[in-house]
Amino acid sequence: MDSITSAASVIAAGLAVGLGAIGPGIGQGTAAGSAVEGIARQPEADGKIRGTLLLSLAFMEALTIYGLVVALVLLFANPFAG
Amino acid sequence: MIDSARLFRAQEPLLATPPLPHNDSASSEVLQGEGEDLPVVAADPVPEAAAVSSDDYLRLQRRLLLATLIVSAIAVLITALAFNLHIAGSLLVGALGGLLYLRLLARSVGKLGNGAKKVGKTQLLVPVVLVLASARLPQLELLPALLGFLLYKPALILQVLLDS
């Protein structure tokens, strides 16, 4: 792998993880905060709130995982390595 | 000059004002119940409801894991028939990673509010280890392993559709 390709891959990997984690991070924080508030207000709805939180976190965290996978592929299994 | 006798008379009604009646029913019950048996207080229904609700959460976790397992088994079977055992093995490893990820995420959501203030990040190690292993080991293919890992998503969508 030439130096320009490896430099571009490392920068792209950093950008993929960094930019990809911003949105899900904000969303997860908001969702978890609201869920804890809801559980505190209505302890009898604990399971339902946790279930909904689990499903929404799983969908949100997938976006982080996509960025992470792209970054790891660029670093360890680079298709442009030639 | 201030007439001290008049001043005293002016304050007298204030001092003689009877105490305000208590609105608190519990304390009035206690006052009324003096000398009798203590009133029986009904148990708080909230802890029981919370226990039932956490059972619901456990049931949801089990259903999600079962749905992921079934979807993964079907996908591995179809891949083994359509492609070869090598790719099906990679898909199976990825699907097991997805199951582990879902289990760790469910555990971290379960801990939220009971000691933990935020959702844990340990579950994110699973895709990292999966990609690193598929990059290092020749027995694992990257793409089938990743697709296998993402097989938990159809199960989640199925669950959401069934719930709604």
Side-chain angles (χ1 to χ4, degrees):
Chain A
M1 189 172 9
D2 63 343
S3 57
I4 292 181
T5 309
S6 61
S9 300
V10 169
I11 291 171
L15 285 176
V17 172
L19 294 179
I22 291 174
I26 293 170
Q28 284 187 4
T30 312
S34 305
V36 170
E37 198 181 316
I39 291 170
R41 279 179 196 273
Q42 271 183 297
E44 68 275 9
D46 181 18
K48 211 158 193 158
I49 294 171
R50 275 183 207 279
T52 313
L53 180 68
L54 172 63
L55 292 174
S56 47
L57 282 187
F59 282 118
M60 270 189 268
E61 209 160 63
L63 303 175
T64 314
I65 291 170
Y66 295 152
L68 193 67
V69 165
V70 168
L72 290 171
V73 166
L74 281 175
L75 290 177
F76 298 105
N78 198 325
F80 308 111
Chain B
M1 194 173 167
I2 301 170
D3 184 5
S4 60
R6 241 175 70 191
L7 189 66
F8 180 74
R9 273 198 305 275
Q11 283 178 351
E12 203 174 15
L14 283 176
L15 291 171
T17 307
L20 289 170
H22 256 286
N23 284 337
D24 194 335
S25 59
S27 61
S28 64
E29 273 177 29
V30 169
L31 286 175
Q32 286 166 3
E34 262 181 351
E36 300 167 11
D37 290 339
L38 287 172
V40 179
V41 179
D44 193 6
V46 171
E48 269 181 35
V52 170
S53 191
S54 66
D55 281 352
D56 281 352
Y57 179 59
L58 285 177
R59 213 172 300 128
L60 174 75
Q61 274 186 53
R62 250 180 254 134
R63 264 190 319 195
L64 279 178
L65 290 177
L66 191 68
T68 311
L69 209 61
I70 290 170
V71 169
S72 305
I74 293 170
V76 168
L77 199 67
I78 290 172
T79 311
L81 292 175
F83 296 95
N84 54 38
L85 282 179
H86 179 64
I87 294 178
S90 300
L91 196 82
L92 181 65
V93 172
L96 291 178
L99 268 176
L100 181 63
Y101 166 79
L102 204 59
R103 180 81 191 91
L104 289 175
L105 182 68
R107 188 187 291 178
S108 130
V109 169
K111 277 184 192 167
L112 190 70
N114 303 327
K117 285 183 182 170
K118 55 184 181 180
V119 182
K121 293 285 171 210
T122 29
Q123 67 271 10
L124 282 177
L125 283 177
V126 177
V128 173
V129 170
L130 193 67
V131 172
L132 288 181
S134 55
R136 301 272 183 234
L137 299 174
Q139 295 89 358
L140 272 180
E141 293 280 333
L142 181 64
L143 201 59
L146 280 180
L147 288 178
F149 175 77
L150 291 176
L151 279 178
Y152 73 90
K153 271 188 126 104
L156 286 186
I157 293 169
L158 203 70
Q159 193 63 50
V160 171
L161 288 179
L162 285 178
D163 278 352
S164 63

